[in-house]
Structures are given as C-alpha cells and as structure tokens.
Coordinates of all heavy atoms in Angstrom, one line a residue:
M1 N 10.0 25.1 -71.1 CA 9.6 25.9 -69.9 C 8.7 25.0 -69.0 O 8.8 25.1 -67.8 CB 8.9 27.2 -70.4 CG 8.4 28.0 -69.3 SD 9.5 29.4 -69.2 CE 8.7 30.3 -68.0
E2 N 7.9 24.2 -69.7 CA 7.0 23.4 -68.9 C 7.8 22.4 -68.1 O 7.4 22.1 -67.0 CB 6.0 22.6 -69.8 CG 4.8 23.4 -70.2 CD 3.8 22.6 -70.9 OE1 3.7 21.4 -70.6 OE2 3.1 23.2 -71.6
N3 N 8.9 21.9 -68.6 CA 9.8 21.0 -67.9 C 10.4 21.7 -66.7 O 10.4 21.1 -65.6 CB 10.9 20.4 -68.8 CG 10.4 19.4 -69.7 OD1 9.4 18.8 -69.5 ND2 11.2 19.1 -70.7
G4 N 10.8 22.9 -66.8 CA 11.3 23.6 -65.7 C 10.2 23.9 -64.7 O 10.4 23.8 -63.5
S5 N 9.1 24.2 -65.1 CA 8.0 24.4 -64.3 C 7.6 23.1 -63.5 O 7.3 23.1 -62.3 CB 6.8 24.9 -65.1 OG 5.6 24.9 -64.4
L6 N 7.6 22.0 -64.3 CA 7.3 20.7 -63.6 C 8.4 20.3 -62.6 O 8.1 19.9 -61.5 CB 7.2 19.6 -64.7 CG 6.8 18.2 -64.2 CD1 5.4 18.2 -63.6 CD2 6.8 17.3 -65.4
E7 N 9.6 20.6 -63.0 CA 10.7 20.3 -62.0 C 10.6 21.2 -60.8 O 10.9 20.7 -59.7 CB 12.1 20.5 -62.7 CG 12.4 19.4 -63.7 CD 13.8 19.6 -64.4 OE1 14.6 20.4 -63.8 OE2 14.0 19.0 -65.4
Q8 N 10.3 22.4 -61.0 CA 10.1 23.3 -59.9 C 9.0 22.9 -59.0 O 9.1 22.9 -57.7 CB 9.9 24.8 -60.4 CG 11.1 25.4 -61.0 CD 10.8 26.8 -61.6 OE1 9.7 27.2 -61.7 NE2 11.9 27.5 -62.0
R9 N 7.9 22.5 -59.6 CA 6.8 22.1 -58.8 C 7.1 20.8 -58.0 O 6.8 20.6 -56.9 CB 5.5 21.9 -59.7 CG 5.0 23.2 -60.1 CD 3.7 23.1 -60.9 NE 3.1 21.9 -61.2 CZ 2.5 21.6 -62.3 NH1 2.4 22.5 -63.3 NH2 1.9 20.4 -62.5
F10 N 7.8 19.9 -58.7 CA 8.2 18.6 -58.1 C 9.2 18.9 -56.9 O 9.1 18.3 -55.9 CB 8.8 17.7 -59.1 CG 9.2 16.3 -58.5 CD1 8.2 15.4 -58.2 CD2 10.5 16.0 -58.2 CE1 8.5 14.2 -57.6 CE2 10.8 14.8 -57.6 CZ 9.8 13.9 -57.3
A11 N 10.2 19.8 -57.2 CA 11.1 20.2 -56.1 C 10.4 20.8 -54.9 O 10.7 20.5 -53.8 CB 12.2 21.2 -56.7
A12 N 9.4 21.7 -55.2 CA 8.6 22.3 -54.1 C 7.8 21.2 -53.4 O 7.8 21.2 -52.1 CB 7.7 23.3 -54.7
F13 N 7.2 20.3 -54.1 CA 6.5 19.2 -53.5 C 7.4 18.3 -52.7 O 7.1 18.0 -51.5 CB 5.8 18.3 -54.6 CG 5.2 17.1 -54.1 CD1 4.0 17.1 -53.4 CD2 5.8 15.8 -54.2 CE1 3.4 16.0 -52.9 CE2 5.3 14.7 -53.8 CZ 4.1 14.7 -53.1
E14 N 8.6 18.0 -53.2 CA 9.6 17.2 -52.5 C 10.1 17.9 -51.2 O 10.2 17.3 -50.1 CB 10.8 17.0 -53.4 CG 11.8 16.0 -52.9 CD 12.9 15.7 -53.9 OE1 13.3 16.7 -54.6 OE2 13.4 14.6 -53.9
T15 N 10.3 19.2 -51.3 CA 10.7 20.0 -50.1 C 9.6 20.0 -49.1 O 9.8 19.9 -47.9 CB 11.0 21.5 -50.5 OG1 12.0 21.4 -51.5 CG2 11.4 22.3 -49.4
K16 N 8.3 20.2 -49.5 CA 7.2 20.2 -48.6 C 7.1 18.9 -47.9 O 6.9 18.8 -46.7 CB 5.9 20.6 -49.4 CG 4.7 20.7 -48.4 CD 3.5 21.2 -49.2 CE 2.3 21.3 -48.3 NZ 1.1 21.7 -49.0
V17 N 7.1 17.8 -48.7 CA 7.0 16.4 -48.1 C 8.1 16.1 -47.2 O 8.0 15.6 -46.1 CB 6.9 15.4 -49.2 CG1 7.0 13.9 -48.7 CG2 5.5 15.5 -50.0
S18 N 9.3 16.5 -47.6 CA 10.5 16.3 -46.7 C 10.3 17.1 -45.4 O 10.7 16.6 -44.3 CB 11.7 16.8 -47.5 OG 12.9 16.7 -46.7
G19 N 9.8 18.3 -45.5 CA 9.6 19.1 -44.2 C 8.6 18.4 -43.4 O 8.7 18.4 -42.1
Q20 N 7.5 17.9 -44.0 CA 6.5 17.3 -43.2 C 7.0 16.0 -42.6 O 6.7 15.7 -41.4 CB 5.3 16.9 -44.1 CG 4.5 18.2 -44.5 CD 3.4 17.9 -45.5 OE1 3.4 16.8 -46.1 NE2 2.4 18.8 -45.6
L21 N 7.8 15.2 -43.3 CA 8.4 14.0 -42.7 C 9.3 14.4 -41.6 O 9.4 13.7 -40.6 CB 9.2 13.2 -43.8 CG 8.3 12.5 -44.8 CD1 9.1 11.9 -45.9 CD2 7.4 11.4 -44.1
T22 N 10.1 15.4 -41.7 CA 11.0 15.9 -40.6 C 10.1 16.3 -39.4 O 10.5 15.9 -38.3 CB 11.8 17.1 -41.1 OG1 12.6 16.7 -42.2 CG2 12.7 17.6 -40.0
D23 N 9.0 17.0 -39.6 CA 8.1 17.3 -38.5 C 7.6 16.1 -37.9 O 7.5 16.0 -36.6 CB 7.0 18.2 -39.0 CG 7.4 19.6 -39.4 OD1 8.6 20.0 -39.1 OD2 6.6 20.3 -40.1
I24 N 7.1 15.1 -38.7 CA 6.6 13.9 -38.1 C 7.6 13.1 -37.3 O 7.3 12.6 -36.2 CB 6.0 13.0 -39.3 CG1 4.7 13.6 -39.8 CG2 5.7 11.6 -38.8 CD1 4.2 13.0 -41.1
I25 N 8.8 13.0 -37.9 CA 9.9 12.4 -37.2 C 10.2 13.1 -35.8 O 10.4 12.4 -34.8 CB 11.2 12.3 -38.0 CG1 10.9 11.3 -39.2 CG2 12.4 11.8 -37.2 CD1 12.0 11.2 -40.2
G26 N 10.2 14.4 -35.8 CA 10.4 15.2 -34.6 C 9.3 14.9 -33.6 O 9.6 14.7 -32.4
L27 N 8.0 14.8 -34.1 CA 6.9 14.5 -33.2 C 7.0 13.1 -32.6 O 6.7 12.9 -31.4 CB 5.6 14.7 -33.9 CG 5.2 16.2 -34.2 CD1 4.0 16.2 -35.1 CD2 5.0 17.0 -32.9
L28 N 7.4 12.2 -33.5 CA 7.6 10.8 -33.0 C 8.7 10.7 -32.0 O 8.6 10.0 -31.0 CB 7.9 9.9 -34.2 CG 6.7 9.6 -35.1 CD1 7.1 8.8 -36.3 CD2 5.6 8.8 -34.3
Q29 N 9.8 11.4 -32.2 CA 10.9 11.4 -31.2 C 10.4 12.0 -29.9 O 10.8 11.5 -28.8 CB 12.1 12.2 -31.8 CG 12.8 11.4 -32.9 CD 13.9 12.2 -33.5 OE1 13.9 13.5 -33.5 NE2 14.9 11.5 -34.1
Q30 N 9.6 13.1 -30.0 CA 9.1 13.7 -28.8 C 8.2 12.7 -28.1 O 8.2 12.5 -26.8 CB 8.3 15.0 -29.1 CG 7.8 15.7 -27.9 CD 7.1 17.0 -28.4 OE1 7.0 17.3 -29.6 NE2 6.5 17.7 -27.4
L31 N 7.3 12.0 -28.8 CA 6.4 11.0 -28.3 C 7.2 9.9 -27.6 O 6.9 9.4 -26.5 CB 5.5 10.4 -29.3 CG 4.5 9.4 -28.9 CD1 3.5 10.0 -27.9 CD2 3.7 8.9 -30.1
V32 N 8.3 9.4 -28.3 CA 9.1 8.3 -27.7 C 9.7 8.8 -26.3 O 9.7 8.1 -25.4 CB 10.2 7.9 -28.7 CG1 11.3 7.1 -28.0 CG2 9.6 7.1 -29.8
A33 N 10.2 10.1 -26.3 CA 10.8 10.6 -25.1 C 9.7 10.7 -24.0 O 10.0 10.3 -22.8 CB 11.4 12.0 -25.3
E34 N 8.5 11.1 -24.3 CA 7.4 11.2 -23.3 C 7.0 9.8 -22.8 O 6.8 9.7 -21.6 CB 6.2 11.9 -23.9 CG 6.5 13.4 -24.1 CD 5.3 14.1 -24.9 OE1 4.3 13.5 -25.1 OE2 5.5 15.3 -25.2
V35 N 7.0 8.9 -23.7 CA 6.6 7.5 -23.3 C 7.7 6.9 -22.4 O 7.4 6.3 -21.4 CB 6.4 6.6 -24.5 CG1 6.3 5.1 -24.2 CG2 5.1 7.0 -25.3
R36 N 9.0 7.2 -22.7 CA 10.1 6.8 -21.9 C 10.0 7.4 -20.5 O 10.1 6.7 -19.5 CB 11.4 7.1 -22.6 CG 12.6 6.6 -21.8 CD 14.0 6.9 -22.5 NE 14.0 6.6 -23.9 CZ 14.2 7.6 -24.9 NH1 14.4 8.8 -24.5 NH2 14.2 7.2 -26.1
D37 N 9.7 8.7 -20.5 CA 9.5 9.4 -19.2 C 8.4 8.8 -18.4 O 8.5 8.6 -17.2 CB 9.3 10.9 -19.4 CG 10.6 11.6 -19.9 OD1 11.7 11.0 -19.8 OD2 10.4 12.7 -20.4
Q38 N 7.3 8.5 -19.1 CA 6.1 7.9 -18.4 C 6.5 6.6 -17.9 O 6.1 6.2 -16.8 CB 5.0 7.8 -19.5 CG 3.7 7.2 -18.9 CD 2.9 8.2 -18.2 OE1 3.1 9.4 -18.4 NE2 1.9 7.7 -17.4
G39 N 7.3 5.8 -18.6 CA 7.8 4.5 -18.1 C 8.6 4.6 -16.9 O 8.5 3.9 -15.9
H40 N 9.5 5.6 -16.8 CA 10.3 5.9 -15.6 C 9.4 6.2 -14.4 O 9.6 5.8 -13.3 CB 11.3 7.0 -15.9 CG 12.4 6.6 -16.9 ND1 13.1 5.5 -16.8 CD2 12.9 7.3 -18.0 CE1 14.0 5.4 -17.8 NE2 13.9 6.5 -18.5
R41 N 8.4 7.1 -14.7 CA 7.5 7.5 -13.6 C 6.7 6.2 -13.1 O 6.5 6.1 -11.9 CB 6.6 8.6 -14.1 CG 7.3 9.9 -14.2 CD 6.3 11.1 -14.3 NE 5.5 11.0 -15.6 CZ 5.9 11.5 -16.7 NH1 7.0 12.2 -16.8 NH2 5.2 11.4 -17.8
L42 N 6.3 5.4 -14.1 CA 5.6 4.2 -13.7 C 6.5 3.2 -12.9 O 6.0 2.6 -11.9 CB 5.0 3.5 -14.9 CG 3.8 4.2 -15.5 CD1 3.4 3.4 -16.8 CD2 2.6 4.2 -14.6
N43 N 7.7 3.1 -13.2 CA 8.7 2.3 -12.5 C 8.8 2.9 -11.1 O 8.9 2.1 -10.1 CB 10.0 2.2 -13.2 CG 10.0 1.3 -14.4 OD1 9.2 0.4 -14.4 ND2 10.9 1.5 -15.3
A44 N 8.9 4.2 -11.0 CA 9.1 4.8 -9.6 C 7.8 4.5 -8.8 O 7.9 4.2 -7.6 CB 9.3 6.3 -9.8
V45 N 6.6 4.6 -9.4 CA 5.4 4.3 -8.7 C 5.4 2.9 -8.2 O 5.0 2.6 -7.1 CB 4.2 4.7 -9.6 CG1 2.9 4.1 -8.9 CG2 4.0 6.2 -9.7
E46 N 5.8 2.0 -9.1 CA 5.8 0.6 -8.8 C 6.8 0.3 -7.6 O 6.4 -0.5 -6.7 CB 6.3 -0.3 -10.0 CG 6.3 -1.8 -9.7 CD 6.7 -2.6 -10.9 OE1 7.3 -2.0 -11.9 OE2 6.6 -3.8 -10.9
I47 N 7.9 1.0 -7.6 CA 8.9 0.8 -6.5 C 8.2 1.3 -5.2 O 8.3 0.6 -4.2 CB 10.2 1.5 -6.8 CG1 10.9 0.8 -7.9 CG2 11.0 1.7 -5.5 CD1 12.1 1.6 -8.5
R48 N 7.6 2.5 -5.3 CA 6.9 3.0 -4.1 C 5.8 2.1 -3.6 O 5.6 1.8 -2.4 CB 6.4 4.4 -4.3 CG 7.5 5.4 -4.3 CD 7.0 6.9 -4.3 NE 6.1 7.2 -5.4 CZ 6.4 7.8 -6.5 NH1 7.7 8.1 -6.7 NH2 5.6 8.1 -7.4
M49 N 5.0 1.5 -4.6 CA 3.9 0.6 -4.2 C 4.5 -0.7 -3.5 O 3.9 -1.2 -2.6 CB 3.1 0.2 -5.4 CG 2.2 1.3 -5.9 SD 1.0 1.8 -4.7 CE 0.0 0.4 -4.6
N50 N 5.6 -1.2 -4.1 CA 6.2 -2.4 -3.5 C 6.7 -2.1 -2.1 O 6.5 -2.9 -1.1 CB 7.4 -2.9 -4.3 CG 6.9 -3.6 -5.6 OD1 5.8 -4.0 -5.7 ND2 7.8 -3.6 -6.6
T51 N 7.3 -0.9 -1.9 CA 7.7 -0.5 -0.6 C 6.6 -0.4 0.4 O 6.6 -0.9 1.5 CB 8.5 0.9 -0.7 OG1 9.6 0.7 -1.5 CG2 8.9 1.3 0.7
F52 N 5.5 0.2 -0.1 CA 4.3 0.4 0.7 C 3.7 -1.0 1.1 O 3.3 -1.2 2.2 CB 3.2 1.2 0.0 CG 1.9 1.3 0.7 CD1 1.8 2.2 1.8 CD2 0.8 0.6 0.3 CE1 0.6 2.3 2.4 CE2 -0.4 0.8 0.9 CZ -0.5 1.6 2.0
E53 N 3.6 -1.9 0.1 CA 3.1 -3.2 0.4 C 4.0 -4.0 1.4 O 3.4 -4.6 2.3 CB 3.0 -4.0 -0.9 CG 1.9 -3.6 -1.9 CD 2.0 -4.3 -3.3 OE1 2.9 -5.1 -3.5 OE2 1.1 -3.9 -4.1
N54 N 5.3 -3.8 1.3 CA 6.2 -4.5 2.3 C 6.0 -3.9 3.7 O 5.9 -4.6 4.7 CB 7.6 -4.3 1.9 CG 8.0 -5.2 0.6 OD1 7.3 -6.1 0.4 ND2 9.0 -4.8 -0.1
R55 N 5.8 -2.5 3.7 CA 5.5 -1.9 5.0 C 4.2 -2.4 5.6 O 4.1 -2.6 6.8 CB 5.6 -0.4 4.9 CG 7.0 0.2 4.6 CD 7.0 1.6 4.4 NE 6.6 2.3 5.6 CZ 6.3 3.6 5.7 NH1 6.4 4.4 4.6 NH2 5.9 4.2 6.8
M56 N 3.2 -2.5 4.7 CA 1.9 -3.0 5.2 C 2.0 -4.4 5.7 O 1.4 -4.7 6.7 CB 0.8 -2.9 4.1 CG 0.3 -1.5 3.8 SD -0.5 -0.7 5.3 CE -1.9 -1.8 5.4
A57 N 2.7 -5.2 5.0 CA 2.9 -6.6 5.4 C 3.6 -6.7 6.8 O 3.2 -7.4 7.7 CB 3.7 -7.4 4.4
G58 N 4.6 -5.8 7.0 CA 5.3 -5.8 8.3 C 4.3 -5.3 9.3 O 4.3 -5.8 10.5
F59 N 3.5 -4.3 9.0 CA 2.5 -3.7 10.0 C 1.5 -4.8 10.4 O 1.2 -5.0 11.5 CB 1.8 -2.5 9.4 CG 0.8 -2.0 10.3 CD1 1.1 -1.2 11.4 CD2 -0.6 -2.1 10.0 CE1 0.1 -0.7 12.2 CE2 -1.6 -1.6 10.8 CZ -1.2 -0.9 11.9
E60 N 1.0 -5.5 9.4 CA 0.1 -6.6 9.6 C 0.7 -7.7 10.5 O 0.0 -8.2 11.4 CB -0.4 -7.2 8.3 CG -1.4 -6.3 7.5 CD -1.7 -6.7 6.1 OE1 -1.1 -7.7 5.7 OE2 -2.6 -6.1 5.5
N61 N 1.9 -8.0 10.3 CA 2.6 -9.0 11.1 C 2.7 -8.5 12.5 O 2.5 -9.3 13.5 CB 4.0 -9.4 10.5 CG 3.9 -10.2 9.3 OD1 2.9 -10.8 9.0 ND2 5.0 -10.1 8.5
R62 N 3.1 -7.3 12.7 CA 3.2 -6.7 14.1 C 1.8 -6.7 14.7 O 1.7 -7.0 15.9 CB 3.8 -5.3 14.0 CG 5.3 -5.3 13.7 CD 5.9 -3.9 14.0 NE 5.3 -2.8 13.3 CZ 5.6 -2.5 12.0 NH1 6.4 -3.2 11.4 NH2 5.0 -1.4 11.5
M63 N 0.8 -6.3 14.0 CA -0.6 -6.3 14.5 C -1.0 -7.8 14.9 O -1.6 -7.9 16.0 CB -1.6 -5.8 13.5 CG -1.5 -4.3 13.3 SD -1.6 -3.3 14.8 CE -3.3 -3.7 15.2
A64 N -0.6 -8.8 14.1 CA -0.9 -10.1 14.5 C -0.2 -10.5 15.8 O -0.8 -11.2 16.7 CB -0.5 -11.1 13.4
G65 N 1.0 -10.1 15.9 CA 1.7 -10.3 17.2 C 1.1 -9.6 18.4 O 1.0 -10.2 19.5
F66 N 0.6 -8.4 18.2 CA -0.1 -7.7 19.3 C -1.4 -8.4 19.6 O -1.8 -8.5 20.8 CB -0.4 -6.2 18.9 CG 0.8 -5.4 18.8 CD1 0.9 -4.4 17.8 CD2 1.8 -5.5 19.8 CE1 2.0 -3.6 17.7 CE2 2.9 -4.6 19.7 CZ 3.0 -3.7 18.7
E67 N -2.1 -8.9 18.6 CA -3.4 -9.6 18.8 C -3.1 -10.9 19.6 O -3.9 -11.2 20.5 CB -4.1 -9.9 17.5 CG -4.6 -8.7 16.8 CD -5.2 -9.0 15.4 OE1 -5.0 -10.1 15.0 OE2 -5.7 -8.1 14.8
Q68 N -2.0 -11.6 19.3 CA -1.7 -12.8 20.1 C -1.4 -12.4 21.5 O -1.8 -13.1 22.4 CB -0.5 -13.5 19.4 CG -0.8 -14.2 18.1 CD 0.4 -14.7 17.4 OE1 1.6 -14.4 17.8 NE2 0.2 -15.5 16.4
R69 N -0.6 -11.4 21.7 CA -0.2 -11.0 23.1 C -1.5 -10.6 23.8 O -1.6 -10.9 25.0 CB 0.8 -9.8 23.0 CG 2.2 -10.3 22.6 CD 3.1 -9.3 22.3 NE 3.3 -8.3 23.3 CZ 4.0 -7.2 23.2 NH1 4.6 -7.0 22.1 NH2 4.1 -6.3 24.1
L70 N -2.4 -9.9 23.1 CA -3.7 -9.4 23.8 C -4.5 -10.7 24.2 O -5.1 -10.7 25.3 CB -4.4 -8.5 22.8 CG -5.8 -8.0 23.3 CD1 -5.5 -7.2 24.6 CD2 -6.5 -7.2 22.3
S71 N -4.5 -11.7 23.3 CA -5.2 -12.9 23.6 C -4.7 -13.6 24.9 O -5.4 -14.0 25.7 CB -5.2 -13.9 22.5 OG -5.9 -13.4 21.4
V72 N -3.3 -13.6 25.0 CA -2.7 -14.2 26.1 C -3.0 -13.4 27.4 O -3.3 -14.0 28.4 CB -1.1 -14.3 25.9 CG1 -0.4 -14.6 27.2 CG2 -0.8 -15.3 24.8
L73 N -3.0 -12.1 27.3 CA -3.3 -11.2 28.4 C -4.8 -11.4 28.8 O -5.1 -11.4 30.0 CB -3.0 -9.8 28.1 CG -1.6 -9.4 28.0 CD1 -1.4 -7.9 27.5 CD2 -0.8 -9.6 29.3
E74 N -5.7 -11.5 27.9 CA -7.1 -11.7 28.2 C -7.3 -13.1 28.9 O -8.1 -13.2 29.8 CB -7.9 -11.7 26.9 CG -8.1 -10.3 26.4 CD -8.9 -10.3 25.0 OE1 -8.9 -11.4 24.4 OE2 -9.4 -9.2 24.6
A75 N -6.6 -14.1 28.4 CA -6.7 -15.4 29.1 C -6.2 -15.3 30.5 O -6.8 -15.9 31.4 CB -5.9 -16.4 28.3
R76 N -5.1 -14.6 30.7 CA -4.5 -14.5 32.1 C -5.5 -13.7 33.0 O -5.7 -14.1 34.1 CB -3.2 -13.7 32.0 CG -2.0 -14.6 31.6 CD -0.7 -13.8 31.7 NE 0.4 -14.5 31.1 CZ 1.5 -14.0 30.9 NH1 1.7 -12.7 31.1 NH2 2.5 -14.7 30.3
L77 N -6.1 -12.7 32.4 CA -7.1 -11.9 33.1 C -8.3 -12.8 33.5 O -8.7 -12.7 34.7 CB -7.6 -10.7 32.3 CG -8.6 -9.8 33.0 CD1 -8.0 -9.2 34.3 CD2 -9.0 -8.7 32.0
N78 N -8.7 -13.6 32.6 CA -9.9 -14.5 32.9 C -9.5 -15.5 34.0 O -10.3 -15.7 34.9 CB -10.3 -15.3 31.7 CG -11.1 -14.4 30.7 OD1 -11.6 -13.4 31.1 ND2 -11.1 -14.8 29.5
E79 N -8.2 -16.0 34.0 CA -7.8 -16.9 35.0 C -7.7 -16.2 36.4 O -8.1 -16.7 37.4 CB -6.4 -17.4 34.7 CG -6.3 -18.4 33.5 CD -4.9 -18.8 33.1 OE1 -4.0 -18.4 33.8 OE2 -4.8 -19.5 32.1
Q80 N -7.2 -14.9 36.4 CA -7.1 -14.2 37.6 C -8.5 -13.9 38.2 O -8.8 -14.0 39.4 CB -6.3 -12.9 37.4 CG -4.9 -13.1 37.2 CD -4.1 -11.8 37.0 OE1 -4.7 -10.8 36.8 NE2 -2.8 -11.9 36.9
Q81 N -9.5 -13.5 37.3 CA -10.8 -13.3 37.7 C -11.5 -14.5 38.3 O -12.2 -14.5 39.3 CB -11.7 -12.7 36.6 CG -11.3 -11.3 36.2 CD -12.1 -10.8 35.0 OE1 -12.6 -11.6 34.2 NE2 -12.1 -9.5 34.8
Q82 N -11.2 -15.7 37.7 CA -11.7 -16.9 38.2 C -11.1 -17.2 39.6 O -11.8 -17.6 40.5 CB -11.5 -18.1 37.3 CG -12.3 -18.0 36.0 CD -11.9 -19.1 35.0 OE1 -11.0 -19.9 35.2 NE2 -12.7 -19.2 33.9
S83 N -9.8 -17.0 39.7 CA -9.1 -17.2 41.0 C -9.7 -16.3 42.1 O -9.9 -16.7 43.2 CB -7.6 -16.9 40.8 OG -7.0 -17.9 40.0
I84 N -9.9 -15.0 41.7 CA -10.4 -14.0 42.7 C -11.9 -14.5 43.1 O -12.2 -14.4 44.3 CB -10.5 -12.6 42.1 CG1 -9.0 -12.1 42.0 CG2 -11.3 -11.7 42.9 CD1 -8.9 -10.8 41.2
S85 N -12.6 -14.9 42.1 CA -14.0 -15.4 42.4 C -13.9 -16.6 43.4 O -14.7 -16.7 44.3 CB -14.7 -15.8 41.1 OG -16.0 -16.3 41.4
L86 N -13.0 -17.6 43.1 CA -12.9 -18.7 44.0 C -12.4 -18.3 45.4 O -12.9 -18.8 46.4 CB -11.9 -19.7 43.4 CG -12.3 -20.5 42.2 CD1 -11.2 -21.3 41.6 CD2 -13.5 -21.4 42.6
L87 N -11.5 -17.3 45.4 CA -11.0 -16.8 46.7 C -12.1 -16.2 47.5 O -12.3 -16.3 48.7 CB -9.8 -15.9 46.6 CG -8.5 -16.5 46.3 CD1 -7.5 -15.4 45.9 CD2 -8.0 -17.4 47.4
N88 N -12.9 -15.4 46.8 CA -14.1 -14.7 47.5 C -15.1 -15.7 48.0 O -15.6 -15.6 49.1 CB -14.8 -13.8 46.5 CG -14.0 -12.5 46.3 OD1 -13.2 -12.1 47.1 ND2 -14.2 -11.8 45.2
T89 N -15.3 -16.8 47.2 CA -16.3 -17.8 47.6 C -15.7 -18.5 48.9 O -16.4 -18.8 49.8 CB -16.5 -18.8 46.5 OG1 -17.0 -18.1 45.4 CG2 -17.4 -19.9 46.9
F90 N -14.4 -18.8 48.8 CA -13.8 -19.5 49.9 C -13.8 -18.6 51.2 O -14.1 -19.1 52.3 CB -12.3 -19.9 49.6 CG -11.5 -20.5 50.7 CD1 -11.7 -21.8 51.0 CD2 -10.6 -19.7 51.4 CE1 -11.0 -22.4 52.1 CE2 -9.9 -20.3 52.4 CZ -10.1 -21.6 52.8
Q91 N -13.5 -17.3 51.0 CA -13.5 -16.4 52.1 C -14.9 -16.3 52.7 O -15.0 -16.3 53.9 CB -13.0 -15.0 51.6 CG -13.0 -14.0 52.7 CD -12.5 -12.6 52.2 OE1 -12.6 -12.4 51.0 NE2 -12.1 -11.8 53.1
R92 N -15.9 -16.2 51.9 CA -17.3 -16.1 52.4 C -17.7 -17.4 53.2 O -18.2 -17.3 54.3 CB -18.2 -16.0 51.2 CG -19.6 -15.5 51.5 CD -20.5 -15.2 50.3 NE -19.9 -14.4 49.3 CZ -19.7 -14.7 48.1 NH1 -20.1 -15.9 47.6 NH2 -19.1 -13.9 47.2
K93 N -17.3 -18.6 52.7 CA -17.6 -19.8 53.4 C -16.9 -19.9 54.7 O -17.4 -20.3 55.7 CB -17.3 -21.0 52.5 CG -18.3 -21.2 51.4 CD -17.9 -22.4 50.5 CE -18.9 -22.6 49.4 NZ -18.6 -23.8 48.6
M94 N -15.6 -19.5 54.7 CA -14.8 -19.5 55.9 C -15.4 -18.6 57.0 O -15.5 -18.9 58.2 CB -13.4 -19.2 55.7 CG -12.6 -20.2 54.9 SD -12.6 -21.8 55.7 CE -11.6 -21.4 57.1
M95 N -15.8 -17.4 56.6 CA -16.4 -16.4 57.5 C -17.7 -16.9 58.0 O -18.0 -16.7 59.2 CB -16.5 -15.1 56.8 CG -15.1 -14.5 56.5 SD -15.2 -12.9 55.8 CE -15.3 -11.8 57.2
Q96 N -18.5 -17.6 57.2 CA -19.8 -18.2 57.6 C -19.5 -19.3 58.7 O -20.3 -19.3 59.6 CB -20.6 -18.7 56.4 CG -21.2 -17.7 55.5 CD -21.9 -18.3 54.3 OE1 -21.7 -19.5 54.0 NE2 -22.6 -17.5 53.6
K97 N -18.5 -20.1 58.4 CA -18.2 -21.1 59.4 C -17.8 -20.6 60.7 O -18.0 -21.2 61.8 CB -17.2 -22.1 58.8 CG -17.7 -23.0 57.8 CD -16.6 -24.0 57.3 CE -17.2 -24.9 56.2 NZ -16.2 -25.9 55.8
M98 N -17.1 -19.4 60.6 CA -16.6 -18.8 61.8 C -17.6 -17.9 62.5 O -17.4 -17.4 63.6 CB -15.3 -18.0 61.5 CG -14.2 -18.8 61.0 SD -12.8 -17.9 60.4 CE -12.2 -17.1 61.8
G99 N -18.8 -17.7 61.8 CA -19.9 -17.0 62.4 C -19.7 -15.5 62.2 O -20.3 -14.7 62.9
I100 N -18.9 -15.1 61.3 CA -18.7 -13.7 61.0 C -19.5 -13.3 59.8 O -19.6 -14.0 58.8 CB -17.2 -13.4 60.6 CG1 -16.3 -13.9 61.8 CG2 -16.9 -11.9 60.3 CD1 -14.8 -13.8 61.5
E101 N -20.2 -12.1 60.0 CA -21.1 -11.7 58.9 C -20.2 -11.2 57.8 O -19.2 -10.5 57.9 CB -22.0 -10.5 59.4 CG -23.2 -11.0 60.1 CD -24.1 -9.8 60.4 OE1 -24.3 -9.0 59.5 OE2 -24.7 -9.8 61.5
Y102 N -20.7 -11.5 56.6 CA -19.9 -11.1 55.4 C -20.9 -10.4 54.4 O -22.0 -10.8 54.1 CB -19.4 -12.4 54.7 CG -18.5 -12.0 53.5 CD1 -17.2 -11.6 53.6 CD2 -19.0 -12.2 52.2 CE1 -16.4 -11.4 52.5 CE2 -18.3 -11.9 51.1 CZ -16.9 -11.5 51.2 OH -16.2 -11.2 50.2
E103 N -20.5 -9.2 54.0 CA -21.3 -8.4 53.1 C -21.0 -8.6 51.7 O -19.9 -8.8 51.2 CB -21.2 -6.9 53.4 CG -21.7 -6.6 54.8 CD -21.6 -5.1 55.0 OE1 -21.4 -4.3 54.1 OE2 -21.7 -4.7 56.2

C-alpha cells in the first residue's frame, strides 16, 4: 500500500510540476509575443523618426535657401539705398549750383 501511495504522490507531484511547466511555457510564449509586438512598434517609431528627420533636413535646406535669398535681397536693398543717397546728394549739389533752395 505504501508503494501505491508513493506512486500516487509521485503521479500527483508529476502532474503538478507538468501543469506548472505548461503555465510557465504559456507565459513565456505570451512574453515572446509581447516582445515581438514591442519590436514591431519600435520599428514603426523608427520609421516615423527617420521620416521626420528627412522632413526636417528638407525644411532646413529650404530655410537655408530662403536665408541666402534674403541676404541677396538685403544686399540689393543696401545698394539701392546707397544709390538713392548718392542721387540725393547729387540733386542737392545741382540745385545749390543752380541757386534753388533745397529742403
């Protein structure tokens, strides 16, 4: 009877351990699936970040182009202001020579 009792206890122990191992394997499979999903989400984020970085680089290039155009326009404006100043000076001198008052 003790042998039967020992065999029963061992069978119960084996069943319990087997069930626990099955539970552990299930949890590990669930963990693997979650890690895989996390990896997919991280890949999606990486793709969006690369897209964003490319858009930012394009924007920065366009801004650099605008800054260059602005510099050219500022240089032209300075040239025009200098030309207007020279014309005003010339006009003032001519009017003085002609005896016309200039305000």
